[in-house]
Amino acid sequence: MPAPSYTERVTVVRPSDVEVPGLGTAALLVLVAEDGSDRPCSLGPTGLANLEAAVAEAGSRAARGEVGAVVLTGGGRTFLAGADLTMMRAATTADEVRALAEAGHRLVAAIADLPVPTLAHLNGAALGGGLEIALACDHRTAAPGVRAIGLPEVTLGLLPGWGGCTVLPRLVGPDAALTVILDNPARANTLLDAAGAQRLGVVDVVVGSLEAALEHLGATVTAGRAGGPVTAGRAGGPATAEQAGGPAGAESIAPAGGAVPVPADEAAWSAAVGARRERARAAAAGGAPAAARALGIVEASRTRTRAESFAAEDDGLTELVMTDQCRASLYAADLLGHRTARPGRPEGVEPRPVTSVGIAGAGLMAGQLALLLARSLRVPVTMRDLDDERAARGLAAVRAEIGRMRERGRLDEATAEELTGLVTVTTDLTDLAGADLVVEAVFEELEVKLAVLSELEGVVSPTAVLATNTSALSVTAMAEHLRHPERVVGLHFFNPVAQMPLVEVVRARRTDDPTYATAFAVADRCRKTSVAVADAPGFVVNRLLVRLLGEVLGSLEEGTTVAEADAALVPMGLPMGPFQLLQLVGPAVAEHVLITLREQLGERYPDSPGLRAVVASGRAFVTGGGRPTAASPVDPAVEELFGSRRSPEPLDAAGVLRRVQLALAEETHLLLREGVVSGAEDVDLAMILGAGWPAHNGGLTPYLDRTGAAEERGGRFHPRGVADLP
């Protein structure tokens, strides 16, 4: 039984009869929320039992010859969002999880074994277990507006446990299946839209209505019975286990009707699995075992019966749900799902209208901001720089990016032309006079920013919002000398602006509510997640990242080798190592911010003569040139620039990892005590979205709890554990 704290939001089935051309009467099973709301439907124990009973009744009617087909669809915004993750978070025993896994498999098998043709019409999102139920049907159609089809389980520390690891490879082949199971979730949890699902073979066709889906079902089945061509892009499962590369005599997952051949040879499966094996191993080394577990089940399913492979899914899902990584992942997913409800926004305050925008600067960051704001707000954006050369270079960079977006199909011709017209450049400060919002994006020096804001105040209206994109400096210090400090706010976008989803919204000492509300409104319209932060050095993300990098650099100064330091943080599962990150940020920028935070926050941000030497020499932390990635090799020769405070017993990799964990725990406790954010959840949201902190760690604070670092440096951040958080 589920834990007492669990309350299921029950999904029920509304059965009715519909006519299918060529097949006669079909049993239509519509999935809806029991409370009548339009919320996404998911399946807990009661919902599973409801659907299993409806399928059994439809099967009995089919056996009696009363219906010639069974059709599943959703009655609200979704087809089915999958298993009820709330129950998984609330589960306290493996038996509870296994019962849910086995119930899902019983349902999938019951649908696959129905004696009449089956259709799943995806009227809305089909995710996780919802898609797995659809895969059990012979045929799948999708409405053209569907944007969320996929198996995102590995991002939650889970695996597709209702047949996805077994069924999908047999339907579309192992490579396409692993694209859905592993590759898409790894790409920022990419999901398929209806057209993409059709191209991959996950759905047969895209149709505009349930009626059209029924017509497709009738035509496809009739053509197949007559021996004619099957018109579906992918209609159901393989006719035999051998066609799927499975063992002789194994059950097929769904009845015949497949139009796309499934690779039967071992080489095709080995190639598909082998291409993902190293990435799955690396994820497991970083504390995320789900991908490797899913990959192993997919690989083994080629030679297993359906029952054997389903049993392996049951084992994998049960074991994963009970891990700390899975509980932390579910906590992170809940945070991300409620990101707009975070505290800190002014309530009942109307933001000021923004009909035009000015950007102080025309450099790289300024150009990115100009394009984002023009594209999001659809208002004129004027960049201003000091001379014609810099201004022209900035505008050319924006137009080049618009051209690249058009070439990649991310913009149509009309939109590209519109954006090109919206973004202009000037050297005349007075051209910003009519802007409702001016964003300062100049060099990260307080004196430079003070001068720019003073100039701006002389030309813009008293109600224009002045925003700074500073990443670490005091917004209050920038505003205090102005005549209207109440209209100054921090809007810290992260680089690259188009991709990074976080904005730290910084309230200075005298920022008024309308200005603050405007900052949140602008971030919302840019489709970014806002975290309200107090005006403190480094805010959240840079304060913690620079502390992390400072500890690694401090270890090098004390004699730790570059190789040991590079390996130290692998168990954290970060998107890249410390030296790749230093190179990506830029050694000069990293040195500047480290010095700034050392001056403002004290000696715990270590001095690094080695970093100064890297900057002075022009050396790089990694080899290969170009933009650093997680795979960029670290240059061991850079080690010769460090060692200013050599210890007789320098730290090894494990020692560096512990040093970093304790430092992050200390710094997080400090910023929470200072009220930089409202709580640990905001730290986690900021680190996930602004620093790529792994969701399987739950962000930062559950990880620090789990490693014991939090307790050692001031107490646990989540005394009850993340699984128990509301």
Side-chain angles (χ1 to χ4, degrees):
M1 293 293 291
S5 60
Y6 169 68
T7 301
E8 181 176 351
R9 297 194 301 177
V10 176
T11 294
V12 296
V13 182
R14 290 180 181 162
S16 62
D17 287 349
V18 292
E19 293 301 310
V20 178
L23 296 181
T25 301
L28 176 65
L29 308 179
V30 181
L31 301 163
V32 296
E34 184 180 47
D35 60 10
S37 69
D38 197 32
R39 63 168 175 78
C41 286
S42 60
L43 294 178
T46 304
L48 275 169
N50 290 341
L51 183 51
E52 187 174 10
V55 168
E57 173 60 22
S60 297
R61 294 185 67 199
R64 296 193 298 267
E66 296 174 10
V67 295
V70 177
V71 178
L72 279 74
T73 193
R77 293 181 292 120
T78 59
F79 171 74
L80 193 57
D84 188 344
L85 297 179
T86 305
M87 179 199 162
M88 292 192 179
R89 281 186 61 183
T92 57
T93 68
D95 288 344
E96 297 168 38
V97 181
R98 183 174 294 278
L100 189 69
E102 292 176 346
H105 278 136
R106 284 198 308 273
L107 174 60
V108 165
I111 295 170
D113 294 339
L114 285 169
V116 292
T118 52
L119 166 72
H121 176 60
L122 310 185
N123 61 298
L127 297 171
L131 179 57
E132 290 171 296
I133 285 170
L135 293 174
C137 294
D138 307 334
H139 308 274
R140 286 158 300 283
T141 58
V146 177
R147 296 286 181 268
I149 299 172
L151 298 173
E153 284 90 342
V154 293
T155 65
L156 301 173
L158 306 167
L159 56 78
W162 286 354
C165 294
T166 303
V167 178
L168 192 57
R170 303 190 191 198
L171 291 174
V172 301
D175 192 66
L178 288 171
T179 295
V180 177
I181 295 169
L182 297 184
D183 300 350
N184 285 351
R187 289 193 286 264
N189 205 11
T190 299
L191 298 171
L192 299 170
D193 60 12
Q198 182 182 5
R199 285 193 297 271
L200 210 57
V202 177
V203 302
D204 307 348
V205 292
V206 178
V207 295
S209 65
L210 177 60
E211 291 72 21
L214 298 176
E215 291 176 6
H216 162 77
L217 174 63
T220 302
V221 174
T222 300
R225 288 174 178 171
V230 177
T231 58
R234 176 65 188 157
T240 67
E242 288 84 353
Q243 285 176 291
E251 309 100 313
S252 62
I253 297 302
V260 178
V262 178
D265 60 293
E266 183 178 354
W269 286 70
S270 296
V273 171
R276 281 96 173 167
R277 196 184 303 280
E278 186 54 42
R279 190 171 72 231
R281 284 175 178 165
R293 192 64 182 266
L295 186 66
I297 294 174
V298 169
E299 181 178 26
S301 73
R302 189 184 71 84
T303 56
R304 283 175 171 163
T305 65
R306 183 177 80 186
E308 290 169 341
S309 196
F310 279 8
E313 290 182 355
D314 289 337
D315 291 342
L317 185 64
T318 300
E319 291 169 19
L320 287 170
V321 169
M322 301 310 294
T323 63
D324 289 333
Q325 289 83 4
C326 178
R327 299 308 176 94
S329 296
L330 293 173
Y331 159 77
D334 190 56
L335 270 184
L336 294 170
H338 296 89
R339 63 183 79 178
T340 58
R342 299 305 306 155
R345 295 170 178 250
E347 296 182 5
V349 179
E350 284 295 317
R352 293 192 174 102
V354 177
T355 60
S356 64
V357 174
I359 305 288
L364 176 62
M365 195 68 179
Q368 293 183 71
L369 288 169
L371 182 53
L372 174 72
L373 292 166
R375 189 180 182 192
S376 302
L377 306 184
R378 288 297 200 270
V379 300
V381 178
T382 303
M383 296 189 294
R384 185 259 180 176
D385 217 317
L386 296 176
D387 58 60
D388 290 333
E389 181 182 350
R390 279 186 276 195
R393 190 164 57 240
L395 184 61
V398 171
R399 290 181 173 175
E401 180 60 23
I402 292 172
R404 284 189 289 269
M405 294 169 72
R406 183 179 59 242
E407 291 168 5
R408 296 169 185 160
R410 294 174 58 197
L411 295 176
D412 57 33
E413 289 290 338
T415 303
E417 185 175 346
E418 178 190 7
L419 293 179
T420 300
L422 286 174
V423 181
T424 57
V425 71
T426 185
T427 58
D428 187 348
L429 187 67
T430 61
D431 287 340
L432 305 185
D436 302 308
L437 167 70
V438 181
V439 182
E440 165 279 305
V442 299
F443 186 66
E444 190 76 354
E445 283 281 2
L446 183 59
E447 291 75 15
V448 175
K449 293 181 183 291
L450 284 169
V452 168
L453 291 172
S454 293
E455 285 185 321
L456 288 169
E457 188 171 48
V459 299
V460 300
S461 76
T463 59
V465 172
L466 298 180
T468 171
N469 190 51
T470 182
S471 61
L473 300 176
S474 170
V475 181
T476 297
M478 294 180 206
E480 285 296 278
H481 72 293
L482 300 178
R483 293 190 303 276
H484 296 285
E486 71 277 358
R487 45 86 168 271
V488 178
V489 68
L491 264 177
H492 178 211
F493 290 84
F494 288 74
N495 189 25
V497 172
Q499 283 78 45
M500 296 298 287
L502 180 71
V503 175
E504 289 177 322
V505 180
V506 189
R507 185 164 200 163
R509 184 182 305 143
R510 295 170 67 181
T511 304
D512 64 22
D513 282 350
T515 296
Y516 201 43
T518 303
F520 282 105
V522 168
D524 289 346
R525 290 180 65 183
C526 291
R527 308 181 85 174
K528 303 294 185 182
T529 296
S530 302
V531 171
V533 301
D535 187 20
F539 313 128
V540 174
V541 175
N542 281 336
R543 178 168 172 171
L544 291 169
L545 277 184
V546 173
R547 182 73 194 270
L548 178 153
L549 293 174
E551 297 300 329
V552 173
L553 293 169
S555 298
L556 292 183
E557 300 292 358
E558 294 166 14
T560 297
T561 66
V562 165
E564 291 276 12
D566 185 41
L569 305 191
V570 168
M572 281 185 169
L574 300 175
M576 61 175 57
F579 300 113
Q580 290 92 346
L581 179 59
L582 278 164
Q583 196 61 43
L584 181 66
V585 170
V589 173
E591 183 196 19
H592 176 73
V593 179
L594 180 59
I595 291 171
T596 300
L597 293 184
R598 179 180 172 84
E599 291 172 349
Q600 296 174 334
L601 295 173
E603 299 295 315
R604 63 182 185 274
Y605 285 81
D607 179 48
S608 180
L611 180 58
R612 285 197 295 276
V614 170
V615 174
S617 66
R619 297 272 291 273
F621 283 102
V622 300
T623 61
R627 183 181 174 87
T629 69
S632 298
V634 176
D635 182 2
V638 78
E639 186 177 304
E640 67 192 30
L641 301 177
F642 291 84
S644 63
R645 332 183 262 277
R646 287 191 178 274
S647 165
E649 296 183 6
L651 296 174
D652 60 8
V656 174
L657 175 61
R658 192 58 178 170
R659 173 173 175 163
V660 168
Q661 290 169 343
L662 293 172
L664 290 174
E666 177 187 43
E667 203 62 42
T668 303
H669 275 302
L670 286 170
L671 68 84
L672 287 173
R673 288 173 197 152
E674 294 164 16
V676 178
V677 289
S678 64
E681 293 82 3
D682 281 344
V683 173
D684 297 326
L685 189 61
M687 294 301 285
I688 291 168
L689 297 178
W693 200 271
H696 70 260
N697 283 336
L700 179 59
T701 64
Y703 171 80
L704 296 174
D705 280 349
R706 190 164 67 249
T707 60
E711 190 128 30
E712 193 169 334
R713 283 294 184 268
R716 290 174 59 89
F717 295 106
H718 306 284
R720 294 182 297 143
V722 295
D724 299 321
L725 292 175

